Every structure is written in C-alpha cells, then in structure tokens.
Amino acid sequence: MSAGNVARGLKAAISNPYTSEEAKQRAAERLQAMETSGQLNQEQIHVDNVVIGHKAALANPNISAEAKLHSAKVLESMGIPY
C-alpha cells in the first residue's frame, strides 16, 4: 500500500465523526510521524490524486464524452493506463 493511500486513510479517520477520539489521536500521531520522516512526498500525492480523479471521470456515467476524452488524454500524457 502506498504512503499516499495510508495518509488518505488516516485523514479520513481523523475527520470521521464516528471514530473515537483515541483513534483520531493515534491517526493524527501516525500522520505527523509520516510527514516528519519524509514518507509523504506532497508532489507525488498530488499526482496520485490527479490520476484518481481522471480515472473516476472515465468511469462516471454522468460525465460528458468531451470530459472523458480530456481525462483520457491527460492519463495518456502521464503514461498511465486507463
């Protein structure tokens, strides 16, 4: 599992109203440790999020053909299979 996925899960736990305060605190501490140790490359996380968004657009039936074409071109230019 990539560090970006772990970070997203930790952030989700922190913002989830059904997560206990103790679990939120542990998640915040782990996220802080990941940031401090350099495990989280913010630029790579951004790129991962862009890819996730474009792949989601391709799978969404409510997105126009023009928008899907744009997403396909972006992913192609990044060398990402879709």
Side-chain angles (χ1 to χ4, degrees):
M1 184 175 293
S2 75
N5 287 343
V6 172
R8 278 188 286 281
L10 293 170
K11 288 177 182 180
I14 292 167
S15 65
N16 186 336
Y18 298 107
T19 302
S20 71
E21 289 304 316
E22 181 181 333
K24 286 181 182 185
Q25 181 62 33
R26 283 194 312 266
E29 289 170 0
R30 182 160 180 216
L31 185 60
Q32 180 63 38
M34 289 177 73
E35 289 171 350
T36 302
S37 70
Q39 286 180 310
L40 296 180
N41 177 335
Q42 293 300 320
E43 186 175 325
Q44 185 59 49
I45 290 171
H46 172 72
V47 170
D48 291 346
N49 287 340
V50 169
V51 170
I52 289 167
H54 284 293
K55 284 188 172 186
L58 291 174
N60 186 336
N62 298 319
I63 300 292
S64 71
E66 183 179 323
K68 287 185 179 197
L69 180 60
H70 170 74
S71 288
K73 286 181 180 179
V74 170
L75 290 172
E76 186 176 308
S77 73
M78 295 173 78
I80 305 293
Y82 53 93

